[in-house]
Amino acid sequence: MAQRWLVCGIIFALGAAGTLAARGHSPRAAGTMPENRSTTPRLLPLKPHPVVALTFDDLPAAGGVRPGITRVGIATRLTGELRANRLKGVYGFVNAVDLGGDPDAQHALRIWIDTGMNIGNHTWSHPSLSSDTADAFEHDIALDEPALRQYAGRRDWHWFRYPYLEEGGTMEKRNGVRDWLHQHGYRIAEVTLNFNDDDWGDPYLRCLTQHNQAEIAWLQKTYLESAAQSIPQEREEEQIAYGHEIPNVLLLHATEFTTLMLPSLMRLLKQEGFRFATLPRVEKNRAYAVNATAELPDGGTLVEEVLAARHLNAPPVWPEPADQLDSVCR
């Protein structure tokens, strides 16, 4: 039985306390990593002190903003929380499509850099590689580079994060873009932990417009519940994929709501025993050198790719309240 994720005091913003347990285990494979699994060894207890690198997508303008709120304000609050937790060199992945005509976004990106954080390439306009051609996608990556050079200075901006975590859907497209990235000096910023934090952003803005505090409280509660349930599940999937846990990369977005929830999320991660590291340090682990040749048109984390490539199944994951998020405060 894997270690349960204790979440006493999970709903910090609501002033409530509770405990959420990770799901029970399925008798599916761990251990070594053959192409197909016929044995069913047990899953090991989760590590007491896992490692994670935080990363943020869609800088400097993730999600919408309400009247009176600026990108500068979001960036100031977000970087302030990171620095309060002694985190430096956190990577934010930039889409520069609207940067040129938006002084607020320009200033926000400068704040990110000036407070000791790093930036990487997330394409210029956030296209879907599953829908786009490889040539058009590579052109969009290149369009993002002038802004990265301008803001990053001497810092290493040659890290690339696929929009939607989509790597093309076909092996020809996937390998073609990977070859282009390699030729241009990029490393792929893989993800192992992702609870779709940005799905709470637009509902939060709608509920703020309606001054609906009850639904905002529900959004805060379900955001933390989703993190508390999905993160240990994804760590268990690493055991199935690799035979053991690996250092993690958590995907977040620089939205107003994730910025609001970051203090509670940080407490949750620390309560689980997470230690924090930078993206380059985490991805030195040899697990990140695996080229999982999986065709996933809808995208996925590195672990999901490895599971698909090796024809391994994981137990059902914690269901995100997608329908409720779509309908709340409509």
Side-chain angles (χ1 to χ4, degrees):
M1 193 70 174
Q3 171 186 338
R4 292 184 180 274
W5 234 46
L6 301 178
V7 196
C8 297
I10 182 176
I11 315 303
F12 295 105
L14 305 182
T19 300
L20 295 175
R23 56 152 173 74
H25 303 305
S26 168
R28 289 189 171 86
T32 57
M33 300 178 289
E35 185 70 16
N36 290 285
R37 177 74 63 181
S38 59
T39 59
T40 57
R42 66 184 179 85
L43 291 171
L44 300 173
L46 296 178
K47 290 182 177 181
H49 297 293
V51 175
V52 66
L54 304 188
T55 61
F56 291 82
D57 279 10
D58 303 347
L59 265 66
V65 290
R66 54 198 168 103
I69 300 298
T70 64
R71 300 290 179 189
V72 165
I74 293 172
T76 300
R77 188 171 182 180
L78 178 57
T79 55
E81 180 62 26
L82 293 174
R83 293 184 70 186
N85 286 277
R86 299 182 180 180
L87 297 184
K88 295 182 179 179
V90 174
Y91 267 84
F93 292 90
V94 174
N95 307 117
V97 59
D98 296 321
L99 191 59
D102 189 343
D104 182 35
Q106 294 168 15
H107 190 186
L109 191 55
R110 180 54 61 193
I111 288 171
W112 182 266
I113 291 293
D114 288 347
T115 51
M117 308 306 162
N118 291 330
I119 56 176
N121 197 324
H122 198 37
T123 72
W124 186 68
S125 63
H126 209 284
S128 162
L129 180 53
S130 295
S131 303
D132 222 343
T133 67
D135 287 345
F137 190 80
E138 291 159 7
H139 179 65
D140 209 83
I141 298 171
L143 286 176
D144 211 40
E145 292 183 348
L148 298 174
R149 291 191 187 95
Q150 175 185 348
Y151 284 88
R154 296 182 178 180
R155 301 183 196 187
D156 181 14
W157 50 266
H158 282 89
W159 285 85
F160 179 75
R161 171 71 52 75
Y162 287 91
Y164 314 107
L165 301 183
E166 293 179 0
E167 296 197 21
T170 68
M171 293 312 303
E172 180 181 8
K173 188 184 291 187
R174 183 181 190 277
N175 290 335
V177 172
R178 277 181 168 250
D179 288 344
W180 187 96
L181 290 168
H182 178 72
Q183 292 165 10
H184 289 78
Y186 283 98
R187 286 197 61 187
I188 296 169
E190 302 282 10
V191 171
T192 62
L193 304 177
N194 176 26
F195 65 96
N196 298 320
D197 71 299
D198 55 325
D199 287 352
W200 278 258
D202 287 343
Y204 174 65
L205 296 180
R206 294 196 302 267
C207 292
L208 278 176
T209 300
Q210 297 178 13
H211 306 286
N212 193 330
Q213 295 302 317
E215 295 292 15
I216 290 173
W218 178 84
L219 291 171
Q220 294 171 326
K221 174 178 178 292
T222 55
Y223 181 97
L224 291 173
E225 285 177 345
S226 292
Q229 292 285 3
S230 65
I231 288 175
Q233 289 175 351
E234 289 171 310
R235 292 172 59 196
E236 289 178 359
E237 289 176 353
E238 294 169 9
Q239 291 191 29
I240 299 172
Y242 298 101
H244 55 84
E245 286 189 64
I246 65 173
N248 291 282
V249 177
L250 174 61
L251 169 59
L252 298 169
H253 294 76
T255 63
E256 183 179 355
F257 189 66
T258 285
T259 301
L260 171 69
M261 297 303 296
L262 188 58
S264 296
L265 180 60
M266 294 296 295
R267 287 193 288 267
L268 192 59
L269 293 171
K270 290 178 179 179
Q271 182 178 324
E272 178 57 12
F274 271 101
R275 294 173 293 148
F276 300 95
T278 62
L279 174 69
R281 183 178 180 86
V282 164
E283 300 211 357
K284 285 182 179 179
N285 186 280
R286 61 183 180 179
Y288 288 90
V290 172
N291 184 0
T293 54
E295 297 181 356
L296 297 178
D298 295 329
T301 66
L302 173 65
V303 180
E304 289 169 335
E305 289 183 341
V306 171
L307 290 171
R310 292 174 175 154
H311 309 290
L312 298 170
N313 295 318
V317 299
W318 171 261
E320 176 188 321
D323 291 340
Q324 297 95 315
L325 289 173
D326 185 59
S327 62
V328 68
C329 293
R330 290 287 187 183

